[in-house]
Amino acid sequence: MTVTLADILSAANTIRGRADATPMVPSVHMEQAYGHPFWLKLELAQPIGAFKLRGALNAVANLPEGTRGVTCCSTGNHGRGVAFAAREKGMRAVVCMSELVPAPKVDGIRALGADVHIHGRTQDAAFAESVRLAEEEGFAMISPFDDAHVIAGQGTIGLEMLYQRPELEALLVPLSGGGLAAGIAAAAKAIKPDIRVIGISMDRGAAMYASLQAGHPVEIEEPESLADSLGGGIGMDNRFSFPMCRDLLDDVILVSEAEVYRALQTLYYEERMVAEGACVVGIAAVESGKLDLTGPTGTILTGRNLDMRVLAQVISGRDVQLGDTHIEGHKYGT
Ligand SMILES: *Cc1c(COP(=O)(O)O)cnc(C)c1O
C-alpha cells in the first residue's frame, strides 16, 4: 500500500486555491549557528493554523458521490481540517471527542460548523462513537494519517518545498502518525532520489519510532508533552503510513522536552515566530547536536494552535508543568 508522485500531483490540483501554497523563509540564525542554509516552511499560515487542511481537503474531495457526512475523532488539527473541508463542500461533519477535551478545543471545532459528539472519558470511547457513525449512519471516517488521500494531500508540502528550493539536501519532518512524513518523503524522493528525509519525534511516546524498531505497529504510553500534536498511536492495523515511513525515511531522531522548550525560545527570540511544540522538533534536533547539517536543509513549521499560557511560561524561562510532565525553566541566552 503506497502513495505515488502521481497521487500527490493529483492532490495538488485538487487543493489548489483552497489550502494555501505557503511561503518558505530562510533562518539566518540557524545558518549562522550551524553553517548551512536552513529553511522554514510556514504551514502554520494555513487557514486553520496547520498543514492538516491539505490532507483533509483531498480526502473529502475524493469521497464517493452521495456520502452523507464525515467523521473523525481528532481533537486537534485534523478535526479542524475535516470540519473546514466538510463545510466547504456543504457536507455534515461530526468530530467525536471524550469528556476530557478542554472547552476551547471543542469551541474551535464547532466554530468551523462541525457537530461535536462528546462521548465517554477516553479517546477510545470517542473513537468507538466515530466507528458507530460510520457503520450505522454511513458516514465516511477519515484517519488523521493512515489514509492514502490524506497522505497525498500532506505530500504536496514536499512538492512545494523542492519547487521553492531545489537545492535542499535534507528535510526534517515532525513525525507522529506518519502521514506527513510519508507524503513528503514520497514526493521529495520521487523528484530528488538522493534527498534525505528524517522524521523527528518526542523521546517519550514516539509510537512510530517504537513500531519501526519492532518491525510492526506497537502501542506505547503517552505522557503529556510540549509537543502535544505529536502524541497518539499509529493504529495496530496501520496500512499506509507505517510501511511508507519504514521504506522511505532515512532516519528517525528523538528529542526531549527540554530540547523542544529551548527550540520554542529560539523560534520566538531569533525568528520572532510563535508555533506549537510539535513544529520546532526539527530545530530542536539540530540544536541538540543529534543531527549534523551537511547542506541546505528544510523543516516544516507544522502548526500554531498552541496554548498561549504555556508559551508565555516558555519565553519567560519559567518551569512548565503538563500533567505529570515537569520541564525545568531556563532563560533564553543564559
Ligand atoms: C498532525 C501533526 C503533526 C504530525 O503529523 P503526522 O502525519 O501525524 O505524523 C505534526 N505537527 C502538527 C502541528 C500536527 O497537527
Side-chain angles (χ1 to χ4, degrees):
M1 295 281 204
T2 195
V3 172
T4 64
L5 181 61
D7 300 323
I8 297 166
L9 289 166
S10 150
N13 260 325
T14 301
I15 70 174
R16 180 167 300 130
R18 296 158 67 216
D20 286 328
T22 54
M24 189 158 73
V25 298
S27 168
V28 174
H29 164 77
M30 292 295 283
E31 175 162 0
Q32 278 171 356
Y34 302 100
H36 292 277
F38 195 85
W39 297 89
L40 306 171
K41 177 72 169 158
L42 302 188
E43 283 299 300
L44 44 73
Q46 291 291 356
I48 61 157
F51 75 88
K52 291 251 181 15
L53 184 59
R54 295 179 187 252
L57 281 171
N58 193 45
V60 167
N62 279 284
L63 290 174
E65 272 304 310
T67 302
R68 296 191 47 209
V70 287
T71 180
C72 68
C73 74
S74 155
T75 60
N77 292 324
H78 178 63
R80 286 179 190 244
V82 167
F84 186 104
R87 182 181 64 178
E88 205 205 60
K89 262 209 138 192
M91 186 181 268
R92 209 174 144 210
V94 181
V95 180
C96 303
M97 302 182 185
S98 88
E99 288 161 16
L100 301 181
V101 172
K105 289 202 162 182
V106 179
D107 296 344
I109 287 177
R110 283 204 174 118
L112 287 166
D115 293 336
V116 173
H117 283 196
I118 307 279
H119 216 85
R121 293 185 64 79
T122 63
Q123 192 65 10
D124 286 348
F127 182 76
E129 169 65 1
S130 208
V131 171
R132 188 194 66 76
L133 282 167
E135 284 172 357
E136 291 176 17
E137 310 214 11
F139 278 53
M141 195 169 163
I142 303 179
S143 161
F145 50 84
D146 197 29
D147 177 295
H149 295 300
V150 168
I151 292 173
Q154 324 304 30
T156 59
I157 299 168
L159 291 183
E160 278 173 31
M161 290 177 85
L162 281 175
Y163 179 69
Q164 289 166 311
R165 297 290 153 187
E167 70 271 26
L168 284 170
E169 289 178 13
L171 304 179
L172 311 180
V173 188
L175 174 65
S176 173
L180 178 66
I184 288 182
K189 295 206 165 191
I191 297 170
K192 189 169 179 176
D194 61 350
I195 197 164
R196 291 200 313 144
V197 182
I198 298 158
I200 325 274
S201 298
M202 298 304 298
D203 60 6
R204 297 171 323 141
M208 181 61 84
Y209 177 82
S211 302
L212 292 170
Q213 295 279 312
H216 55 84
V218 295
E219 276 168 346
I220 55 165
E221 290 270 321
E222 281 175 49
E224 301 258 1
S225 169
L226 273 176
D228 57 309
S229 286
L230 296 186
I234 69 162
M236 297 306 278
D237 54 356
N238 189 298
R239 294 188 303 154
F240 295 96
S241 66
F242 172 73
M244 289 181 71
C245 285
R246 181 192 60 206
D247 297 345
L248 295 171
L249 294 185
D250 293 279
D251 204 354
V252 176
I253 307 253
L254 303 182
V255 294
S256 68
E257 297 296 324
E259 286 159 354
V260 168
Y261 182 103
R262 197 190 124 96
L264 279 170
Q265 290 184 330
T266 301
L267 193 72
Y268 182 83
Y269 286 105
E270 304 295 348
E271 309 298 339
R272 277 75 167 161
M273 274 191 249
V274 164
E276 292 179 40
C279 278
V280 296
V281 293
I283 292 172
V286 175
E287 287 184 335
S288 70
K290 290 170 186 162
L291 187 81
D292 277 335
L293 298 188
T294 54
T297 301
T299 194
I300 300 103
L301 298 187
T302 46
R304 62 165 180 218
N305 296 320
L306 70 161
D307 183 337
M308 293 302 281
R309 286 162 308 182
V310 174
L311 185 79
Q313 291 165 349
V314 172
I315 63 180
S316 56
R318 295 203 293 276
D319 288 11
V320 175
Q321 188 74 38
L322 300 167
D324 293 337
T325 302
H326 181 79
I327 306 139
E328 191 86 19
H330 185 266
K331 282 237 179 321
Y332 187 67
T334 60

